[in-house]
Amino acid sequence: MIRTNASFPKKFLWGASTAAHQVEGGNHNQWSVWELENARALAMKAEYHISDLNKWDHIKDIARQPDNYVSGKAVDHYNRYKEDFDLLKKLHMNAFRFSVEWSRIEPEEGVWSAEAIEHYRQYIMELKKRDIEPVMTLFHFTLPVWFSDMGGFEKRRNVKYFERFAEKVAHELGPGVRYIVTINEPNVYLEQSYLEGSWPPAKQNKIVAWRVLENLAYAHKLAAAAIRDVSSDHLVSIAHSTTYTYAGDDSWLSSISASIMQYLSDDYFLKKIIKHCDYLGVNYYFSARVYGYRVHNPDEKQSDLGWDASPMNLQFALERLYDKYDKPILITENGIADMDDELRKWWISQSIVAMKLAMQRGVDLIGYLHWSLVDNFEWAYGKWPRFGLAAVNYKTMERRLRPSAKWFGAVIAKLRQ
Ligand code: IFM
């Protein structure tokens, strides 16, 4: 049990995170189009792609079904958000990260949906009513079809549409929202969509990938300026996915390789945008232990997705990023795919210790947002991975807090006393 004389300040944000497309249901965007086109192929390839996962025997029936790869109603958060916000209260949380769905707000170029804007206005009001600090993301991997059809972030000239969207959202929904995340995980978007080609637009092209990265940096810069023009009360960042990368032995090759990998995955992009950030949003899920020029992680503990589970390395990731960039850090995501709830309690308790140690070493930490509040549509893996503090029954949409979540809620209550 965590000792409750911990050094977490009173104003520390304890919360959970989600993203529109992964929970809302009923979206029409470049992802939903791609899902329908690719669901059958993903189901057919599951055996080949993921049959080495520990839980394969439990998931194979679902993973072979095309339906798994279609977000569809997701967990119907669009209609059930009040119920979900009540879960935050049950967990004694005081913060919540969500994304507004661009394709709902601007379904056609230059056409704004009053209905969608009103929906999100109510949504934010319901959070405020519950004394929950909203953390609002603008781009979390999904794009309106019209924007993606014109080339999305591949074209420099398209960035102005994102800037206009950011300005509109800041005007309409900004009042009362302090923390804004412009772009979620630019590095992950780039890797999956333009290098590995496993997400839409499913390209494998290093030159286009490099161009997208440059344009995302530019997009953040313009969006941050537009948001601050609307009100200087907003604090703006991206949510950066960091992989803590370290040498597994003391050879020079391991150490140089680890540094290069860390630079490419973190610093190349962060250096471009950090002066346009008021804080740094950090998502942490795994580390990379490097031997020579290869990653070979310890395999004692893994998530259901086969990801290395080293929650304690969060401490070193935070210290590195804080030392280098000198910005207050908000952990915008951290969690584990764990359908049987075997590791989540351990993961969270280790993460709390890691945060505490990092803070004792001087890291200015704003808060911790667990991924995810409820089970979510996990992109190309579909619905089988279970990240939620609350388990969702996809047939009945019933939410049930997992035992680890109940434990976490009790810990938060003590830490906030
Ligand atoms: O579900 C994703 C989220 O969309 C972005 N960060 C990582 C999560 C878990 O894979």
Side-chain angles (χ1 to χ4, degrees):
M1 182 66 181
I2 309 285
R3 280 194 290 120
T4 46
N5 61 346
S7 44
F8 291 97
K10 264 252 165 290
K11 61 179 196 305
F12 195 82
L13 298 180
W14 289 102
S17 225
T18 57
H21 189 71
Q22 296 181 268
V23 292
E24 280 184 348
N27 279 315
H28 175 65
N29 52 37
Q30 108 282 21
W31 250 97
S32 65
V33 170
W34 186 84
E35 286 159 23
L36 293 174
E37 288 166 1
N38 288 276
R40 275 172 67 84
L42 289 169
M44 277 165 62
K45 284 191 276 187
E47 185 105 34
Y48 168 70
H49 274 153
I50 54 173
S51 59
D52 56 339
L53 294 179
N54 293 338
K55 295 279 164 72
W56 174 247
D57 280 343
H58 301 264
I59 60 164
K60 61 184 177 205
D61 292 341
I62 309 173
R64 286 177 182 144
Q65 294 296 324
D67 192 44
N68 172 63
Y69 303 93
V70 178
S71 57
K73 282 176 123 184
V75 294
D76 197 25
H77 175 72
Y78 197 78
N79 298 307
R80 294 169 197 256
Y81 65 91
K82 290 184 199 156
E83 188 186 337
D84 291 341
F85 295 170
D86 289 342
L87 292 174
L88 295 168
K89 288 309 282 179
K90 272 198 187 131
L91 295 171
H92 305 281
M93 291 177 163
N94 59 353
F96 181 63
R97 176 175 172 229
F98 61 96
S99 68
V100 286
E101 178 59 32
W102 185 2
S103 62
R104 286 188 193 271
I105 293 181
E106 192 180 2
E108 288 167 51
E109 197 262 287
V111 178
W112 305 103
S113 161
E115 195 190 325
I117 292 172
E118 189 48 32
H119 169 86
Y120 288 119
R121 197 171 282 134
Q122 293 295 328
Y123 186 96
I124 292 166
M125 222 177 66
E126 289 293 334
L127 286 171
K128 304 288 271 185
K129 242 163 72 180
R130 290 167 177 77
D131 284 325
I132 307 271
E133 178 85 44
V135 178
M136 179 168 70
T137 306
L138 302 180
F139 167 47
H140 195 121
F141 301 150
T142 51
L143 299 169
V145 173
W146 60 262
F147 182 77
S148 125
D149 282 351
M150 59 167 72
F153 287 109
E154 291 170 33
K155 306 241 165 68
R156 190 74 158 189
R157 63 171 179 268
N158 293 349
V159 171
K160 62 176 180 287
Y161 298 106
F162 182 66
E163 179 191 18
R164 185 177 66 179
F165 170 62
E167 190 191 352
K168 180 78 177 170
V169 172
H171 261 299
E172 300 282 358
L173 304 170
V177 178
R178 191 163 13 174
Y179 294 98
I180 299 186
V181 171
T182 53
I183 302 172
N184 182 67
E185 300 181 346
N187 53 346
V188 174
Y189 176 63
L190 201 86
E191 188 176 323
Q192 300 293 332
S193 295
Y194 289 97
L195 292 173
E196 286 188 12
S198 45
W199 292 1
K203 295 192 178 171
Q204 290 180 307
N205 184 320
K206 291 197 180 70
I207 294 174
V208 181
W210 174 78
R211 224 186 305 136
V212 171
L213 195 74
E214 297 298 318
N215 290 341
L216 288 175
Y218 184 54
H220 169 75
K221 215 184 290 180
L222 294 190
I227 292 164
R228 288 195 196 103
D229 276 355
V230 174
S231 162
S232 56
D233 291 346
H234 299 304
L235 300 173
V236 189
S237 176
I238 63 161
H240 172 69
S241 174
T242 191
T243 303
Y244 182 68
T245 308
Y246 61 104
D249 57 28
D250 51 16
S251 77
W252 64 268
L253 182 59
S254 306
S255 136
I256 287 181
S257 307
S259 305
I260 293 173
M261 287 181 200
Q262 189 78 83
Y263 175 81
L264 291 176
S265 71
D266 276 11
D267 304 315
Y268 179 77
F269 189 79
L270 285 178
K271 281 188 171 178
K272 290 178 192 290
I273 55 119
I274 199 69
K275 60 175 189 287
H276 306 281
C277 291
D278 302 300
Y279 66 99
L280 182 61
V282 172
N283 298 355
Y284 173 79
Y285 290 91
F286 44 73
S287 298
R289 186 176 65 180
V290 181
Y291 289 101
Y293 49 88
R294 287 181 188 201
V295 172
H296 182 81
N297 279 317
D299 48 15
E300 302 101 60
K301 285 201 169 82
Q302 287 188 345
S303 78
D304 294 347
L305 284 163
W307 296 354
D308 155 62
S310 302
M312 280 302 290
N313 285 346
L314 174 64
Q315 178 196 345
F316 308 121
L318 293 174
E319 287 176 14
R320 195 190 87 79
L321 290 167
Y322 187 69
D323 284 353
K324 203 163 180 95
Y325 297 107
D326 200 20
K327 296 278 178 188
I329 294 179
L330 174 61
I331 298 175
T332 32
E333 288 181 29
N334 174 268
I336 185 162
D338 180 21
M339 63 180 69
D340 297 321
D341 207 33
E342 293 161 336
L343 294 179
R344 193 171 285 102
K345 179 175 164 185
W346 165 79
W347 174 279
I348 296 172
S349 68
Q350 296 283 291
S351 303
I352 294 174
V353 174
M355 288 191 284
K356 216 171 116 174
L357 292 172
M359 288 167 82
Q360 279 164 4
R361 303 278 297 259
V363 174
D364 181 0
L365 200 56
I366 303 167
Y368 172 87
L369 307 177
H370 189 85
W371 184 274
S372 175
L373 176 63
V374 283
D375 285 333
N376 60 273
F377 177 73
E378 186 54 28
W379 307 114
Y381 289 107
K383 293 178 198 142
W384 70 259
R386 301 290 187 145
F387 277 94
L389 290 169
V392 180
N393 177 328
Y394 278 100
K395 287 204 180 89
T396 63
M397 296 294 166
E398 187 206 349
R399 275 86 166 128
R400 214 159 13 83
L401 285 174
R402 296 194 154 99
S404 59
K406 292 183 184 159
W407 168 86
F408 185 30
V411 170
I412 296 175
K414 285 199 179 150
L415 292 174
R416 288 188 63 200
Q417 262 165 19

